[in-house]
Amino acid sequence: MAKVSIAVPYHDTPRTAFFLSRLFKSVDEQTYKDYEIVVTKEGNFARNHNAAIIKSKGEYIQILQMDDYFAHPDALGIIVKGLETSKWQITACVHDVDGVICSPHTPQWTDDIYSGNNRLGGVSTLSMRRESALFFEEPLQWLVDCDIYYRLYLKYGLPTINNDKGLVIDTRNDRLTHTISSIDKQNEVSYLIAKYDRS
């Protein structure tokens, strides 16, 4: 059994083949080789991610959106090392803006992350032990990351912050989350505040 499952939920876009090819190339270049790749295409955002988690057999799970990828060959090994002593981990990243690597991001915890104040990063920055993995809440789309981060925090405490900028997040304008209406976004904010705000 592989030590780590790289969970890759994908959806169809005109550039899906390019994104997956780039992602797989970055995985193939990793110096850490004890992994499996789990690729799923099942339903909406949250359901597809949950399917990838369910099918993962490794001790650790690294979520990787189809348009994101590893930044350098040692990234996966550093992520795995961090999970040896952590239930869940957030990895620092850089951004890909039309092929230009820029805007390094160092994750920071915010107590009101459930309100959308997310300074940790997107879903690809998340890795978890399979034994402690939680599922994404359906039908959330925009704040699925904020919700699962807050639930992981409530159950296991603060994440381990991996400051190695081992992930590249593509910031293209046609990302799935950019297609969500402002009304739907506000509805998700209101829902999560009502769910978690006890003040």
Side-chain angles (χ1 to χ4, degrees):
M1 182 189 317
K3 186 76 169 182
V4 58
S5 298
I6 302 170
V8 184
Y10 82 97
H11 58 280
D12 289 326
T13 75
R15 301 186 71 200
T16 295
F18 164 77
F19 291 134
L20 289 176
S21 175
R22 181 176 65 179
L23 182 156
F24 294 149
K25 182 176 183 292
S26 79
V27 173
D28 186 58
E29 292 172 345
Q30 294 304 298
T31 56
Y32 186 89
K33 298 297 184 182
D34 191 6
Y35 63 79
E36 65 171 0
I37 303 175
V38 179
V39 180
T40 56
K41 182 190 174 192
E42 299 187 23
N44 65 22
F45 187 95
R47 185 176 305 160
N48 198 13
H49 284 68
N50 291 340
I53 292 170
I54 290 168
K55 293 178 179 180
S56 294
K57 303 301 182 188
E59 184 177 346
Y60 309 136
I61 299 171
Q62 169 65 51
I63 305 289
L64 203 54
Q65 303 294 302
M66 71 173 190
D67 41 8
D68 301 331
Y69 53 101
F70 290 114
H72 59 79
D74 294 324
L76 184 59
I78 293 170
I79 289 168
V80 168
K81 184 71 174 174
L83 285 171
E84 291 176 358
T85 56
S86 176
K87 298 283 190 183
W88 68 296
Q89 177 177 230
I90 298 292
T91 296
C93 64
V94 293
H95 294 88
D96 183 325
V97 181
D98 297 324
V100 177
I101 305 303
C102 59
S103 303
H105 173 73
T106 300
Q108 295 179 325
W109 176 257
T110 51
D111 289 335
D112 63 342
I113 192 170
Y114 57 82
S115 70
N117 183 19
N118 180 6
R119 297 182 191 171
L120 288 181
V123 173
S124 290
T125 66
L126 173 63
S127 54
M128 306 174 279
R129 287 177 169 265
R130 185 164 61 92
E131 66 188 20
S132 57
L134 300 182
F135 293 112
F136 292 87
E137 181 175 338
E138 299 181 43
L140 290 175
Q141 301 178 80
W142 188 49
L143 296 182
V144 286
D145 48 3
C146 295
D147 176 70
I148 197 170
Y149 295 163
Y150 198 69
R151 285 187 288 117
L152 283 163
Y153 161 71
L154 291 176
K155 189 164 186 177
Y156 302 118
L158 292 171
T160 295
I161 301 296
N162 171 9
N163 286 314
D164 173 67
K165 294 174 176 59
L167 298 167
V168 181
I169 308 300
D170 196 304
T171 59
R172 63 193 174 87
N173 289 329
D174 61 341
R175 282 181 75 96
L176 196 59
T177 52
H178 293 176
T179 65
I180 302 168
S181 73
S182 57
I183 292 173
D184 287 341
K185 289 179 179 179
Q186 187 54 54
N187 286 341
E188 290 196 10
V189 170
S190 298
Y191 167 72
L192 289 186
I193 288 175
K195 180 179 178 181
Y196 294 119
D197 194 350
R198 299 175 177 85
S199 58

